[in-house]
Amino acid sequence: MCGIAGSTQPDDHSAVDAMLQRLAHRGPDGSGVWSDPNGTITLGCARLATTDLTGQANQPLVSTDGRFVLVFNGYIAGHRRRIRSATRDGLTFQTRNDAELVLQLMSNAIRQGSDPAQVLQTLSGQYALALWDVAQSCLWLARDPLGIKPLYVLSRPGGHIAFASEISGFFAIAPLVHDQGIKPTYLAHLFVPAPNTGTEAVKLLPPGTIMRWQAGEVSTGHIVHPAYRADEASQMPTVGDLLSAARQSVADAMDADCEVGCLVSGGLDSAGVAALACDIAQERGQIAPTAFVMGFDDPALDETEAAQKLCRHLGQELHVVAAPTQPEDIYQELVAALRSVGGPLANPSIVLMRCLAKAVSGDVKVCLSGDGGDELFGGYPRYRAAQLYETYWRHVPRALRRLTAKLYCAGKQREIHRFLAGGSGARNHAFAVWNNRCVIPECDARIARHPDLRGSLTDAMMHFDRDVTLPGNQLLMSDRCGMGHGLEYRLPLLGHDVVRIAAAVIAKQHLKYGPKSLWRQAITPYLPAGHDQNHKIGFNPPVATWLLGVARYVWGNENRILEAIFADVAISQGHKTAYWKRAVSGKDLDMALSVWALMVWQIWLELDGSDMGRAADTA
């Protein structure tokens, strides 16, 4: 993994070097800058060396004939197999690095007049890259189809652009202005959906986009998502097919020239990845990878006991990382997270993930995670809600559904309340309510887009989460938190074969025997007895407690808190007080998240350019 940056502004070497300094946390193992002899473009890379640690693999990489120059952030699954295959086809490699594999394959395709997007769609893994063609004075930018790695593009005068792995890099070359127009969608999702970022003139390249820049002219293409490359003519995938694909994906993710660790939990996803990793390590004659879990004081949030049981079963050494509890520490980590994101992000778990990544990075450079399992295999309760709605509830007269929703107030039965609120109308209403995280009507929060609902509502919700929510929320946090501390997270459940198999199974089958039926059947034999029956906790802090503590730390008394948090919301003082009391009561998670989002918005607005440009690991 690395931090990459570049500029098409003539003779911009010093500016790109300054950009890299702001991305140094992403690549602590060295940096390099390459400028076109004609002064047309400058490319730079701050490197985190995980594959081929020799200096020969340092970036930017230049092809042997000098025509192509690459900066690459990510890893390619099974790159050694692909290098052997490409060597048999006549290509010659100078390194054992996956970045050179990408350089060779893309440059070969361009020389032959082929579309480089077709080459990239054959590569599983996670990446963001920039490739310069000296002969055609043409720049290619690309981001993996799952949206695991980020790539931001800044529009500059005269048709020029700059690009970087994080928005913070752009503060080295231009003043940036907050884009407050993203507030309605931010409040609905708790993140800013691509391509918007919260910064004017800066766009996040959408997942699977390949962009071509030449003399100020821009065109875009698409790298086909593996979910849409499923073979419709093939038979329904089996449990064995999924297990085989997942095992290979884990084995590929473990292929690094440095020590590899695993995140574990009481759930199925990270536990399944860890179990396969341990089995593979044993097969290779290696010790089991070190495991990491975050511990909480609150037993309702803590998965330490389940993780300990899992690790004893798998023969792993387990490190327990304590979750932060002090408002000052939480606030400082939140601010550092917002600087690294470069925009508002209201998932409070990002604070936990930063603390966890900091601890993990002290032991390993690469860590396996179970990200993506809920979205691929049907793990979220709202998928079961959609299935229940389509099967039964939508057939109940609408007037009765509306009356039931009106009479049932929010309280301890949060999932029932949300189900009734969404299920009171048509399918598009249900989709909008169940995907809108803001419960304050005066905020006018709106989801980014409505999918095609001609098929199953449950499938549509899973696809939306996989294609929009996962990259905008969980994957963004994994990248920023890991790379903020020089740690590379690898996500085997998002290997292309795994994604393809999961997409070929309809939602009804994924939920046939409860959530994640197919994945549960595949991985349960590797887990200790009863692990697959653990109650789903999720990686979440005590939001109400954090909200109260951070708000008091920042603003002091309740009157100042309400004035600050609801500054841009046109509601009465009475409503402000009522929403606040619900939010901090510990009994209304949806309201707590909504008010947390408003608080984060105000904190983000107060960060000026100098703050946003600091390194992400300052906390």
Side-chain angles (χ1 to χ4, degrees):
M1 296 295 179
C2 305
I4 63 174
S7 171
T8 65
Q9 200 81 27
D11 301 315
D12 229 9
H13 189 286
S14 61
V16 173
D17 188 60
M19 291 170 71
L20 288 184
Q21 292 179 32
R22 293 171 183 260
L23 302 176
H25 49 275
R26 298 184 68 93
D29 296 326
S31 64
V33 177
W34 178 91
S35 293
D36 187 279
N38 298 321
T40 312
I41 193 171
T42 303
L43 307 177
C45 177
R47 186 186 181 205
L48 176 67
T50 60
T51 304
D52 190 342
L53 309 186
T54 67
Q56 198 170 16
N58 288 343
Q59 299 182 41
L61 286 177
V62 183
S63 62
T64 53
D65 62 359
R67 176 176 170 179
F68 295 95
V69 186
L70 176 81
V71 286
F72 176 83
N73 168 33
Y75 94 97
I76 300 300
H79 73 279
R80 299 185 205 273
R81 294 193 303 274
R82 291 297 300 265
I83 287 175
R84 288 194 295 270
S85 175
T87 300
R88 289 192 295 269
D89 291 339
L91 298 181
T92 303
F93 290 81
Q94 307 300 313
T95 73
R96 296 176 289 105
N97 189 268
D98 46 1
E100 189 186 0
L101 172 66
V102 174
L103 172 64
Q104 294 270 26
L105 294 180
M106 286 189 69
S107 60
N108 195 48
I110 293 170
R111 284 190 185 97
Q112 295 176 2
S114 301
D115 182 358
Q118 294 183 353
V119 170
L120 291 175
Q121 74 183 37
T122 70
L123 300 177
S124 180
Q126 50 200 60
Y127 58 81
L129 62 87
L131 179 73
W132 175 250
D133 182 346
V134 175
Q136 298 185 36
S137 294
C138 175
L139 175 67
W140 299 87
L141 302 177
R143 186 179 177 209
D144 69 78
L146 276 300
I148 303 173
K149 304 310 296 180
L151 191 58
Y152 293 91
V153 180
L154 169 68
S155 298
R156 306 182 75 184
H160 289 287
I161 61 171
F163 65 87
S165 296
E166 294 179 14
I167 292 176
S168 61
F170 297 136
F171 282 96
I173 62 173
L176 301 181
V177 178
H178 289 320
D179 175 11
Q180 298 192 39
I182 50 85
K183 189 176 183 181
T185 52
Y186 155 73
L187 290 175
H189 297 290
L190 308 183
F191 64 89
V192 182
N196 294 324
T197 63
T199 301
E200 292 182 4
V202 176
K203 296 297 182 184
L204 174 59
L205 210 64
T209 297
I210 183 166
M211 172 179 161
R212 184 177 186 270
W213 180 94
Q214 188 174 38
E217 297 295 323
V218 172
S219 60
T220 58
H222 191 63
I223 305 164
V224 179
H225 194 290
Y228 301 108
R229 299 204 303 270
D231 184 0
E232 296 180 357
S234 65
Q235 296 181 339
M236 180 71 70
T238 66
V239 171
D241 294 331
L242 175 58
L243 180 60
S244 177
R247 184 182 177 85
Q248 183 63 63
S249 189
V250 171
D252 288 340
M254 294 172 68
D255 186 4
D257 296 327
C258 58
E259 191 171 352
V260 178
C262 291
L263 298 186
V264 295
S265 70
L268 282 179
D269 301 330
S270 58
V273 168
L276 292 176
C278 290
D279 194 55
I280 292 165
Q282 183 178 34
E283 187 179 81
R284 293 175 176 175
Q286 303 169 346
I287 63 171
T290 303
F292 303 86
V293 68
M294 180 153 274
F296 295 85
D297 293 336
D298 184 350
L301 302 173
D302 190 56
E303 295 186 298
T304 302
E305 184 177 348
Q308 290 171 335
K309 183 179 178 181
L310 172 72
C311 290
R312 284 195 298 269
H313 179 78
L314 299 177
Q316 286 182 289
E317 176 186 347
L318 177 64
H319 293 190
V320 180
V321 181
T325 58
Q326 298 304 308
E328 180 179 1
D329 297 333
I330 295 165
Y331 171 75
Q332 294 297 338
E333 289 291 352
L334 174 61
V335 169
L338 295 178
R339 290 175 184 149
S340 68
V341 171
L345 190 140
N347 188 333
S349 296
I350 195 169
V351 173
L352 299 176
M353 293 180 69
R354 275 189 56 84
C355 296
L356 182 59
K358 184 177 183 179
V360 173
S361 68
D363 290 282
V364 299
K365 264 189 177 183
V366 173
C367 188
L368 309 187
S369 167
D371 286 352
D374 284 315
E375 293 80 3
L376 292 183
F377 305 126
Y380 292 127
R382 60 181 176 274
Y383 303 152
R384 301 194 296 279
Q387 190 175 49
L388 178 63
Y389 169 85
E390 288 203 297
T391 305
Y392 304 107
W393 192 241
R394 71 184 179 92
H395 300 294
V396 174
R398 184 174 297 186
L400 181 57
R401 284 186 276 144
R402 287 177 174 171
L403 178 61
T404 306
K406 185 176 181 180
L407 294 175
Y408 195 96
C409 298
K412 293 183 178 180
Q413 299 298 319
R414 169 178 176 253
E415 292 182 7
I416 296 177
H417 170 73
R418 286 187 62 81
F419 172 78
L420 293 174
S424 63
R427 297 164 80 243
N428 61 340
H429 174 77
F431 183 92
V433 170
W434 293 336
N435 286 282
N436 189 334
R437 305 305 302 271
C438 184
V439 295
I440 300 175
E442 293 89 349
C443 287
D444 190 31
R446 299 186 295 273
I447 62 174
R449 70 174 192 237
H450 287 266
D452 184 351
L453 292 176
R454 287 177 292 184
S456 159
L457 174 61
T458 315
D459 280 306
M461 293 184 66
M462 288 180 64
H463 295 169
F464 183 87
D465 280 347
R466 182 194 65 209
D467 298 343
V468 178
T469 309
L470 179 62
N473 177 45
Q474 187 64 35
L475 300 184
L476 181 148
M477 293 194 297
S478 291
D479 173 81
R480 295 308 189 284
C481 296
M483 297 307 293
H485 298 288
L487 173 68
E488 176 180 320
Y489 280 122
R490 293 187 177 181
L491 318 175
L493 296 186
L494 296 181
H496 286 198
D497 286 341
V498 178
V499 173
R500 192 177 298 114
I501 288 170
V505 178
I506 60 174
K508 184 177 180 179
Q509 291 299 117
H510 279 301
L511 302 174
K512 187 174 182 179
Y513 304 110
K516 303 182 184 178
S517 291
L518 195 67
W519 176 237
R520 188 181 302 274
Q521 292 176 69
I523 206 63
T524 294
Y526 292 85
L527 304 178
H531 190 96
D532 65 313
Q533 299 302 315
N534 287 340
H535 173 69
K536 182 179 178 65
I537 294 178
F539 192 59
N540 300 299
V543 183
T545 302
W546 277 22
L547 174 63
L548 181 60
V550 172
R552 283 177 173 172
Y553 173 76
V554 176
W555 292 293
N557 63 51
E558 185 172 304
N559 287 336
R560 292 184 61 196
I561 290 171
L562 297 183
E563 181 182 353
I565 289 180
F566 294 98
D568 302 325
V569 185
I571 55 176
S572 68
Q573 189 67 21
H575 277 87
K576 292 178 184 179
T577 302
Y579 291 152
W580 172 251
K581 291 191 180 304
R582 281 173 57 186
V584 299
S585 68
K587 300 177 181 179
D588 193 337
L589 177 59
D590 293 308
M591 182 58 72
L593 285 170
S594 297
V595 177
W596 177 276
L598 289 173
M599 180 184 73
V600 168
W601 177 263
Q602 295 301 330
I603 292 173
W604 171 67
L605 287 180
E606 293 173 5
L607 296 177
D608 62 24
S610 60
D611 285 328
M612 295 296 288
R614 294 177 192 169
D617 57 355
T618 53

